[in-house]
Amino acid sequence: MTRLEPGGGSEHEQPTGVLRRTVLKASGLTVAALGLSVPVAADPIDHNGESKADRDVDSPAGFTVELLAGHATFPDEVAATFRLKYDDGDRTIVSNLPRDASTTIFAKVTWDPAGTSGWHTHPGPVIVSVVEGELELINERDCIARIYSAGEAFIDPGQGNIHIASNPSQRENAVAYATFLGVPAGAPATVLVPPVTCE
């Protein structure tokens, strides 16, 4: 569970009853070079498991994910806690790797000029290292745009942290490597959600 430190506000629970569509990539994905075929998306479902294909979730655009290593399991018992406090924030966000750490996925993510991931969340924490260009990250919790440049990294706490990552450049690509932790075996690393309006 992702939560805020005591004295820093209320817990941030994963939303329930929110329509989600699971994805690993914005468009069809077959990783021929690795000999892997990965499901792109399941039908949208509600919290009761019923298909809700008529509900809207956000869509990535100009955004691709190259799977470099899929679903690697931890043969040992693994536990981790991430504490994150933004330079411009007043709260510390704590994210624990689920007790059953399950598997990890490693991917190269590319944003075309003005590309966007769409609003989404992840089942567990994600460590992102920007290697080319810049990324603009906006979290639903505060709607503040934060820029990360090549040579910088950030942690997404996952577990209900709804956010969007976009390339602010109109001319250059942005590239990052992402390590997705706590992904349930066989499940996608990303869950698209309805768009968020930040004012």
Side-chain angles (χ1 to χ4, degrees), residues 37-57:
S37 179
V38 179
V40 177
D43 287 335
I45 56 173
D46 67 13
H47 66 284
N48 294 318
E50 299 170 356
S51 179
K52 297 287 185 181
D54 59 337
R55 296 284 305 268
D56 292 327
V57 292

Side-chain angles (χ1 to χ4, degrees), residues 17 101 103-104 111 146:
T103 67
T104 182
W111 289 257
R146 296 177 173 92

Side-chain angles (χ1 to χ4, degrees), residues 48-84:
N48 294 318
E50 299 170 356
S51 179
K52 297 287 185 181
D54 59 337
R55 296 284 305 268
D56 292 327
V57 292
D58 210 3
S59 298
F63 173 79
T64 57
V65 177
E66 178 185 353
L67 184 66
L68 300 177
H71 290 291
T73 60
F74 291 102
D76 306 307
E77 186 175 324
V78 175
T81 298
F82 295 96
R83 296 181 190 281
L84 168 65

Side-chain angles (χ1 to χ4, degrees), residues 18-199:
V18 176
L19 172 71
R20 299 171 182 92
R21 179 174 57 174
T22 54
V23 298
L24 181 61
K25 184 180 172 195
S27 60
L29 173 65
T30 300
V31 188
L34 299 175
L36 300 173
S37 179
V38 179
V40 177
D43 287 335
I45 56 173
D46 67 13
H47 66 284
N48 294 318
E50 299 170 356
S51 179
K52 297 287 185 181
D54 59 337
R55 296 284 305 268
D56 292 327
V57 292
D58 210 3
S59 298
F63 173 79
T64 57
V65 177
E66 178 185 353
L67 184 66
L68 300 177
H71 290 291
T73 60
F74 291 102
D76 306 307
E77 186 175 324
V78 175
T81 298
F82 295 96
R83 296 181 190 281
L84 168 65
K85 184 173 182 184
Y86 294 108
D87 283 342
D88 55 1
D90 60 353
R91 298 178 180 161
T92 298
I93 301 163
V94 177
S95 178
N96 294 308
L97 193 61
R99 176 170 233 161
D100 170 15
S102 199
T103 67
T104 182
I105 294 173
F106 185 61
K108 178 182 179 182
V109 188
T110 303
W111 289 257
D112 294 340
T116 179
S117 65
W119 287 95
H120 65 281
T121 187
H122 306 286
V126 183
I127 301 170
V128 179
S129 178
V130 181
V131 295
E132 218 177 284
E134 291 184 331
L135 286 180
E136 178 183 77
L137 177 72
I138 301 174
N139 293 303
E140 177 189 37
R141 76 181 65 221
D142 60 14
C143 285
I144 295 173
R146 296 177 173 92
I147 301 291
Y148 295 92
S149 301
E152 295 181 325
F154 63 91
I155 293 176
D156 178 275
Q159 303 168 325
N161 182 60
I162 295 172
H163 60 286
I164 188 169
S166 303
N167 180 356
S169 174
Q170 299 296 315
R171 298 182 310 273
E172 306 290 330
N173 283 353
V175 179
Y177 288 96
T179 302
F180 300 87
L181 300 170
V183 180
T190 300
V191 179
L192 289 177
V193 298
V196 171
T197 302
C198 283
E199 297 178 8

